Amino acid sequence: MSDAREDADRPPAAHISGRRRVMTRTLGGDRRRVAVSTVSQVVGQLVSAGLAVITLRILTRTLGVAQYGVYATAFAVVTTFALIADIGVTAITGREIAKNPDRAEEIIGDNMGLRIAMCVAAWPVVVGVSFILYPHGSLLVHECVAILAATIPLNGIQWVALAYFAARVHSEVAAMIGTGQQVIMLGLSAVVAVHEHSALAFVLVYLIANAFAAAAAVTACSRFIRIRPRADWTRWRAILRMSVSLGIIQIINLLYLRADSLVISTILGSAAVGVYTVAYSLLQPALSVPTFFMAALMPSMTRADPAALSAMVRRAYRYVATAAMLMAAGGYAVRVDAVTTVSSSEFLGAATPFAILAGAAIFSYLNNVMGYAATAIDKQHRFVRVSIAAFVLNVALNLALVPAFGLNGAASATVATEVISFCGIVYVFRADTGIRFDLVRPVIEPVVAALVTVAVVIVLPLRETVDNALLRLILDIVEVVVLYSVAFAALVAAPRLVRRGHDDGERDLPARRESLSG
């Protein structure tokens, strides 16, 4: 009787297959959009990175260590404290639009109004922080900070507008605008370099490029919805309640990332910051890859059921780990040639920190997976504790290591902090989301492939066949990518071939026994 009742309650097979077809089409569409969005961002990032490298070369060779140090110090101060004008609002904007696409215009209006208000309030705060950190610093540093702080409201407008496209999995728009921004930055820098050798001139160039990006983002978004910033304190409080925990995490994470530069600036001076910034600038494009990938997955993760979300996290972890190990191996191989190509021999002190930071970025890549997955289901709140602990640890290690070991000490402090942070994030992620997956098995092949790649590069460096720095760098990159790809493919294929051979042997065993008995 119970079987009959269950059969009656069960939907007809045709309905089940129809749902499966709909679900398959939906998942297939999501995957295609994620793929297009991620690839477009990666391609855009590669183009922007190439333009940024040329711009960096112009800046470092035009300004030299001292003036570029001023530029880098001002940039570190502004970008460090600019997040007080965000507090997670941008990330929440994309998430809420993904959940409620019909309310996109209302969400954009409320969030942009809030962002503009916070950005205007943040400007004098950032300028004041500059005088607190460097009370005896040169006037040029404070002037550069004051002008760079004007980019804070511009960035606020830009990223809230672009959150609309991220939520709709059309991040190619952000990629195009970012590329256009870099084109303007490069073109104006080339012109300025002919006439000016002051950090202040290049700060103005950066301001103009950001103004273009903000205008382009608003124009693009206005084609689909009406943008009308709104001042509604009730809605603002609701937004801040949703975003504050994520915002604190972002602020602490950025303070943690910038702590080394701020400690270096106060202990070793702005020239050392300039050298260290070259290392970070070279690594920055690579650090954006997992962010683009996970941001493209965010709408799908937001809508996924627990089983589907768990499967998405496992796959994302495997893909991101593979990319992370390639990046780390490449960082070691290209460290010297990358620095000399984008700057000059004055900045060679950035080579070793760059290689160390590339190793630290492995854990940054993996943390992105769990961070975005937790945010998609609003389980990111306890990450605040991990972020605060990581920040305190990073500052303490920098204060201990920078005086003794200089820039290498700062980079090593980042490695140690990233490892501890990864352990904390894994613990909180598993406890709060209930999603558990093997952390070790997916990274075995990538780690072995990376070690093989580095070993071969050390023994057989192709770069030694040429003298030109740019050609040496190109050969470094080609050698690393080819070696890693071949090693990784071989490691992945080997177990399958062994299993196939074993299965074939098992199938042939009865025939062989029969022939022997005959």
Side-chain angles (χ1 to χ4, degrees):
M1 188 68 181
S2 61
D3 290 343
R5 189 181 301 112
E6 288 176 5
D7 288 342
D9 293 338
R10 192 175 295 128
H15 290 181
I16 294 174
S17 68
R19 281 188 205 153
R20 283 177 180 161
R21 284 195 297 271
V22 171
M23 184 174 292
T24 301
R25 286 197 298 270
T26 302
L27 290 174
D30 281 348
R31 287 181 184 136
R32 282 192 295 273
R33 287 203 304 272
V34 168
V36 170
S37 182
T38 304
V39 169
S40 66
Q41 289 224 53
V42 170
V43 171
Q45 184 68 17
L46 288 174
V47 174
S48 295
L51 298 171
V53 164
I54 301 172
T55 305
L56 179 62
R57 181 182 173 89
I58 293 172
L59 264 64
T60 52
R61 298 208 167 198
T62 302
L63 297 177
V65 171
Q67 282 284 319
Y68 183 71
V70 170
Y71 178 91
T73 299
F75 199 86
V77 171
V78 172
T79 54
T80 298
F81 295 97
L83 265 184
I84 62 174
D86 186 300
I87 317 181
V89 172
T90 301
I92 293 299
T93 302
R95 190 185 76 182
E96 292 304 302
I97 293 175
K99 287 182 177 179
N100 308 284
D102 295 337
R103 294 181 52 235
E105 187 172 310
E106 175 190 345
I107 293 168
I108 290 286
D110 290 333
N111 291 15
M112 187 170 288
L114 176 58
R115 283 286 273 129
I116 292 172
M118 291 192 297
C119 287
V120 172
W123 193 345
V125 173
V126 173
V127 176
V129 166
S130 171
F131 283 95
I132 294 172
L133 288 176
Y134 313 109
H136 305 296
S138 69
L139 180 61
L140 182 60
V141 171
H142 302 308
E143 290 175 341
C144 289
V145 168
I147 295 173
L148 276 176
T151 63
I152 296 175
L154 295 174
N155 287 336
I157 294 169
Q158 175 188 349
W159 290 110
V160 170
L162 291 179
Y164 173 82
F165 298 102
R168 307 304 291 266
V169 199
H170 285 294
S171 297
E172 63 273 11
V173 177
M176 289 187 290
I177 291 174
T179 301
Q181 182 178 359
Q182 282 297 335
V183 169
I184 291 174
M185 183 75 183
L186 173 57
L188 292 179
S189 295
V191 173
V192 168
V194 177
H195 304 286
E196 286 286 342
H197 295 81
S198 168
L200 193 61
F202 289 96
V203 164
L204 290 169
V205 167
Y206 185 78
L207 177 63
I208 294 170
N210 274 263
F212 158 79
V218 170
T219 301
C221 190
S222 298
R223 294 180 58 194
F224 300 93
I225 61 172
R226 183 172 55 178
I227 297 180
R228 189 171 55 184
R230 304 197 309 178
D232 185 334
W233 178 239
T234 302
R235 286 292 307 141
W236 286 2
R237 279 187 299 179
I239 295 166
L240 290 173
R241 279 197 297 270
M242 287 189 292
S243 68
V244 66
S245 60
L246 179 59
I248 292 173
I249 293 171
Q250 289 178 331
I251 291 171
I252 297 297
N253 284 346
L254 188 61
L255 287 174
Y256 150 65
L257 288 172
R258 295 294 186 185
D260 44 12
S261 294
L262 295 177
V263 171
I264 290 168
S265 69
T266 56
I267 294 176
L268 303 180
S270 60
V273 177
V275 174
Y276 197 69
T277 300
V278 169
Y280 250 121
S281 298
L282 287 169
L283 193 62
Q284 198 63 47
L287 291 175
S288 301
V289 172
T291 302
F292 290 152
F293 177 60
M294 295 307 300
L297 280 177
M298 176 70 86
S300 299
M301 290 191 296
T302 301
R303 298 189 296 266
D305 59 53
L309 178 62
S310 180
M312 291 172 71
V313 171
R314 285 196 298 272
R315 286 195 299 271
Y317 184 85
R318 185 170 68 250
Y319 297 152
V320 168
T322 303
M325 297 306 167
L326 171 60
M327 182 271 306
Y332 176 83
V334 307
R335 63 195 187 283
V336 174
D337 294 325
V339 170
T340 54
T341 298
V342 304
S343 56
S344 66
S345 57
E346 287 184 283
F347 293 87
L348 264 179
T352 301
F354 169 66
I356 297 172
L357 290 170
I362 292 171
F363 299 95
S364 176
Y365 268 51
L366 301 178
N367 288 342
N368 262 283
V369 175
M370 289 171 280
Y372 271 90
T375 302
I377 56 175
D378 200 26
K379 295 291 185 180
Q380 77 279 2
H381 306 289
R382 284 213 302 157
F383 283 6
V384 172
R385 302 177 187 178
V386 179
S387 297
I388 292 173
F391 169 62
V392 173
L393 176 63
N394 188 251
V395 171
L397 288 174
N398 271 284
L399 290 173
L401 297 178
V402 168
F405 302 101
L407 304 185
N408 294 341
S412 300
T414 301
V415 173
T417 310
E418 284 287 349
V419 173
I420 300 299
S421 177
F422 174 75
C423 296
I425 285 175
V426 168
Y427 175 80
V428 173
F429 179 78
R430 286 178 167 178
D432 290 2
T433 67
I435 298 174
R436 304 180 71 88
F437 57 93
D438 192 335
L439 299 171
V440 177
R441 181 66 189 85
V443 304
I444 292 176
E445 289 95 347
V447 167
V448 175
L451 293 174
V452 169
T453 300
V454 170
V456 174
V457 167
I458 292 173
V459 176
L460 298 171
L462 292 181
R463 64 180 178 276
E464 298 300 332
T465 59
V466 296
D467 295 326
N468 182 272
L470 178 58
L471 291 178
R472 287 165 66 94
L473 177 60
I474 293 172
L475 285 177
D476 285 334
I477 295 172
V478 170
E479 184 176 18
V480 167
V481 171
V482 170
L483 287 172
Y484 183 84
S485 300
V486 171
F488 180 75
L491 289 165
V492 171
R496 297 175 183 172
L497 294 175
V498 171
R499 284 196 300 270
R500 185 181 301 172
H502 179 268
D503 293 342
D504 291 344
E506 288 291 325
R507 284 194 297 270
D508 294 342
L509 187 58
R512 288 203 299 270
R513 285 175 178 169
E514 185 177 342
S515 64
L516 288 173
S517 62

